Amino acid sequence: MAAARRRPLLSLLLLLLPLAWAWAPGGTDPPDGGWLAGTVPEEERCTVERVDASLTYSLFLQRFAFSRPVILRGVTDNSAFRSLCTREKLLAAFGSRPVRLSTANTYSYRKVDVPFQEYVEQLLKPQDPARLGSDTLYFFGDNNFTEWGHLFQQYVAPPFRIPGTSPAYSFGIAGAGSGVPFHWHGPGYSEVIFGRKTPHFHPNETTLAWLLHTYPRLPRAQRPLECTLRPGEVLYFPDRWWHATLNLDTSVFISTFLG
């Protein structure tokens, strides 16, 4: 791992697509979970390697764990968890519960506590491209595991672990056009439940503004790795890789951090 830490920090831009594929024909849950669709253009190309469930743990450690991101296909079945994450069911279960919102910029960590129903019905709106990250409230990471514990118990985490680490979940819901700007931390996984989710950057610029204004001017050699996750896929990102996300729709998502 020491050799991997000496590698230069690289960038990854992630866009996530809907996982409505898990809705069973004849079921009562809507394919989009009842969440609002967005109008942000979808990323068409993918420069992140995809592998299927035949990948062994030893090959994961050898090829990806400490060196590069990878998209895993078909490694888990989260249809039960997804069924609990529709707009109607989450409001019924947690509408009166307080949630802690954070600003969506790199260096500011302002926190705001509001009832979950107020967040969903009043604050969960498409992102204005001109709006600064410090003005964008985002529900992600500050989860009350006592109140939300029975929901997280239904989530099936990706099977591969990094030696010496343990998993910690971060659950979130965010409006179309919102996202987390470029940042880095330890290794982990990112999976979208509903919705669609995309090295010089402004720390208060939103991911959407960066994508619209900065990305088109980058020479191809300076562009980050990028991809739109497909149904049944989970992104793994190694330790200390710069990465950003963009929600193309109102998105329900969960990350598994290996700390």
Side-chain angles (χ1 to χ4, degrees):
M1 180 180 294
R5 289 184 181 275
R6 292 194 292 268
R7 294 174 60 86
L9 297 181
L10 301 177
S11 296
L12 172 68
L13 178 65
L14 170 66
L15 300 170
L16 298 182
L17 264 178
L19 295 191
W21 61 279
W23 176 64
T28 58
D29 295 334
D32 59 2
W35 300 101
L36 182 66
T39 59
V40 182
E42 176 187 331
E43 176 57 51
E44 295 182 356
R45 66 190 204 109
C46 180
T47 52
V48 181
E49 184 177 353
R50 283 183 166 94
V51 298
D52 60 27
S54 65
L55 179 71
T56 64
Y57 179 53
S58 60
L59 283 178
F60 169 77
L61 291 176
Q62 177 184 339
R63 296 177 56 191
F64 304 110
F66 308 109
S67 59
R68 53 183 168 149
V70 63
I71 295 174
L72 308 174
R73 308 180 65 175
V75 297
T76 57
D77 177 9
N78 272 303
S79 54
F81 180 74
R82 188 171 299 108
S83 178
L84 297 174
C85 290
T86 65
R87 186 178 189 274
E88 179 181 4
K89 290 179 182 177
L90 286 182
L91 282 174
F94 304 104
S96 62
R97 305 287 179 87
V99 292
R100 175 156 292 181
L101 311 181
S102 305
T103 51
N105 56 329
T106 302
Y107 300 129
S108 175
Y109 298 96
R110 182 168 64 94
K111 305 291 185 179
V112 177
D113 294 333
V114 300
F116 179 64
Q117 184 169 353
E118 178 181 337
Y119 174 64
V120 170
E121 296 181 347
Q122 299 182 29
L123 300 177
L124 198 59
K125 300 177 180 178
Q127 174 73 52
D128 181 349
R131 192 176 181 90
L132 295 177
S134 57
D135 297 327
T136 303
L137 292 174
Y138 198 87
F139 174 41
F140 177 54
D142 282 298
N143 305 132
N144 185 319
F145 285 89
T146 299
E147 295 182 347
W148 293 66
H150 69 279
L151 174 66
F152 299 142
Q153 289 172 7
Q154 300 299 317
Y155 179 66
V156 181
F160 301 136
R161 294 285 183 267
I162 305 300
T165 69
S166 58
Y169 297 148
S170 286
F171 178 76
I173 304 172
S178 66
V180 179
F182 280 104
H183 64 289
W184 62 270
H185 43 64
Y189 297 93
S190 181
E191 181 172 0
V192 69
I193 306 304
F194 288 109
R196 298 180 293 169
K197 226 160 166 53
T198 166
H200 174 75
F201 68 99
H202 190 290
N204 201 26
E205 183 180 46
T206 65
T207 308
L208 178 59
W210 182 91
L211 183 67
L212 295 176
H213 304 141
T214 304
Y215 178 85
R217 299 195 302 269
L218 290 177
R220 185 165 295 275
Q222 295 182 16
R223 292 185 177 182
L225 296 176
E226 55 193 294
C227 200
T228 301
L229 291 186
R230 303 297 176 187
E233 299 176 333
V234 180
L235 173 78
Y236 168 76
F237 47 88
D239 185 27
R240 301 203 306 173
W241 271 63
W242 286 96
H243 58 284
T245 61
L246 175 63
N247 302 298
L248 304 184
D249 300 316
T250 298
S251 300
V252 182
F253 50 93
I254 188 167
S255 294
T256 304
F257 295 108
L258 303 177

